[in-house]
Structure formats: structure tokens, C-alpha cells
Amino acid sequence: MIRLPQLNDEKLFPDPSRALVEPNGLLAFGGKLSIARLTEAYSKGIFPWFSPGEPILWWSPNPRGILPLEHFYCSSKLAKLVRQGRFKVTLNHAYDDVIDACASISRNGSGTWITAEMIQAYKDLHLAGHAHSIEVWQNDALVGGLYGVVSGKLFCGESMFHRLTDCSKLAMYYLVDLLKAEEAPFIDCQMLNPHLQSLGCIETPRRDFLDKLAMLQSQSFSIDCWKARILSQSS
């Protein structure tokens, strides 16, 4: 029998070192997806992940999937797409549309983990300035994008989508460019999968990830600089 701490409005998260080995990283359940709870979670290397009908489950896996910015793999095909300038790229122009598009995609035939409750919570995070999106456009049509949460000087990637080939990778290219300009060390990818691995994602011990995360909490990004840079790069 799995015994997990149950959260309520007052109870703090357990130390991530107490997370289960199997399933990897399961730490606690319950609580609410409030702005305060989510920002606390991300500052401690914890994130929610659950399916419809399940209680809110909180995770901190070991090892952790990260994308060191210098490891980002930009294929010759993607580099050509960037040079062609056929697509317009924006920041926070259509956040709600991006998360809705990500939620509409069935992952490995098993539906989506981005539940209606998650969608609303992350839209609230965006309105509070903690979550951001990058959009890729062909004329007026949204054809790709990604969204994630900022915690200190760390971008925690949540999901991406494409409606045209490589347009999610194009969004990632511009995200990496923005983060490099501010000397961020890596993107939090949570858990490694083949697609993320193809982009340069690697695994690192949870303890190392948490130590680096703690150091990044006293720093911050300049979102206004992001907007100016992405406009100049993609126009």
C-alpha cells in the first residue's frame, strides 16, 4: 500500500527527498491548484501531474529532466526554418490559446493530463505574471507554441504543440534564445522522454537540480526584454 502525505490549505510540501522511488517522484496528494500553492511548488522543484478523476498528485522525480541551453539541438532543417523567416513568433500574445491547444492533444493515445482544473489554474498563473507562452504564427493562424512557469531565473517547461511540422521546435528555439540572452543555465523539462531527448534534454540527480534551483530563486527574468528581443528576432 502506498502511503502519501495529504495536503490541505495549511500543510507545507514534504521534502522532495521523501518522494517515492516507484512511481518515480510521487510526493503528495491533495490541496488546491491555487497561485500560492503552485508558486511554492515550483520554487521547491515540485509540480502537479494527474489524470481526470484522480486527486491532485504532486511530483519531484529523481533524476530530473533538464535542457542545458548549450545542449539544445538545432537541426539544419530547423536552422533553415529560422533563416527563412516564414513564421511570426510572439510572446504572451495568445497564452490561453496555446494552453488550450496543448490540452487538446492526445499523448500516446491516452488522452491529456492537462485537465480543465489545470487549464484554469495555469491561466490564473499567467494573469499573475508567473506563466508565459511563445506562439508561432502563419499569417493569422496559430500553428505552434509552448508554455511554462517561471520560478526565479528558471523556466519550467510545461507543454508544447504544433499544427505544422517543426513549429513547436521553432518556439523552443526562440525560448532558448531568450534564456541565453539572460544567462539562464537550463530549462526544467521535469521528466525525460524521447522527444525532449532529441532536443538535447538530459537527466541530472534531483539533489543537484534542487541545489541549482535554490540559487536561482533570488534572481529574475526581464519579461519586457523578452518581448523586445523576440520582436526584433522574428520580425
Side-chain angles (χ1 to χ4, degrees):
M1 178 182 295
I2 297 176
R3 295 186 180 274
L4 286 176
Q6 182 174 4
L7 304 180
N8 55 37
D9 290 346
E10 291 79 30
K11 192 170 184 178
L12 298 177
F13 284 108
D15 189 287
S17 65
R18 294 179 56 190
L20 298 179
V21 174
E22 183 60 39
N24 179 17
L26 183 55
L27 180 65
F29 75 99
K32 297 179 180 179
L33 295 177
S34 64
I35 293 173
R37 176 65 79 179
L38 285 168
T39 53
E40 177 198 6
Y42 280 92
S43 72
K44 296 180 177 179
I46 301 164
F47 58 88
W49 182 33
F50 58 99
S51 298
E54 292 181 340
I56 298 171
L57 302 176
W58 301 92
W59 304 76
S60 186
N62 184 35
R64 187 81 169 209
I66 65 169
L67 176 58
L69 300 186
E70 69 274 13
H71 285 200
F72 175 66
Y73 176 65
C74 180
S75 67
S76 57
K77 182 180 178 183
L78 179 59
K80 181 179 180 180
L81 196 64
V82 173
R83 291 194 302 271
Q84 288 175 338
R86 294 191 291 117
F87 298 96
K88 181 181 179 181
V89 181
T90 56
L91 174 75
N92 290 335
H93 188 74
Y95 178 92
D96 287 5
D97 294 332
V98 169
I99 192 171
D100 289 342
C102 290
S104 71
I105 299 171
S106 177
R107 310 288 176 173
N108 299 319
S110 59
T112 179
W113 57 268
I114 309 175
T115 65
E117 187 178 8
M118 290 276 276
I119 291 172
Q120 187 57 58
Y122 282 76
K123 287 181 178 180
D124 292 343
L125 268 186
H126 172 64
L127 291 175
H130 301 296
H132 306 280
S133 63
I134 292 179
E135 305 91 17
V136 179
W137 305 85
Q138 185 180 57
N139 299 320
D140 294 328
L142 181 64
V143 294
L146 60 80
Y147 76 97
V149 176
V150 165
S151 183
K153 205 167 189 178
L154 177 65
F155 188 93
C156 308
E158 284 298 316
S159 189
M160 59 178 68
F161 82 98
H162 68 270
R163 291 174 177 147
L164 292 178
T165 302
D166 287 338
C167 282
S168 60
K169 293 180 182 179
L170 189 60
M172 180 67 82
Y173 172 91
Y174 279 95
L175 174 63
V176 169
D177 179 76
L178 294 175
L179 299 181
K180 280 183 175 179
E182 295 212 49
E183 300 182 342
F186 57 86
I187 297 169
D188 174 25
C189 297
Q190 299 177 350
M191 300 179 74
L192 188 66
N193 62 43
H195 176 64
L196 291 173
Q197 192 170 22
S198 73
L199 294 177
C201 184
I202 62 172
E203 291 184 323
T204 191
R206 178 172 56 211
R207 185 69 265 164
D208 290 351
F209 168 78
L210 294 176
D211 287 346
K212 292 173 183 176
L213 173 63
M215 290 189 292
L216 293 169
Q217 290 304 297
S218 62
Q219 306 173 52
S220 62
F221 291 118
S222 172
I223 304 303
D224 287 340
C225 288
W226 283 20
K227 290 179 180 177
R229 184 173 181 85
I230 207 165
L231 180 64
S232 65
Q233 294 279 14
S234 65
S235 59

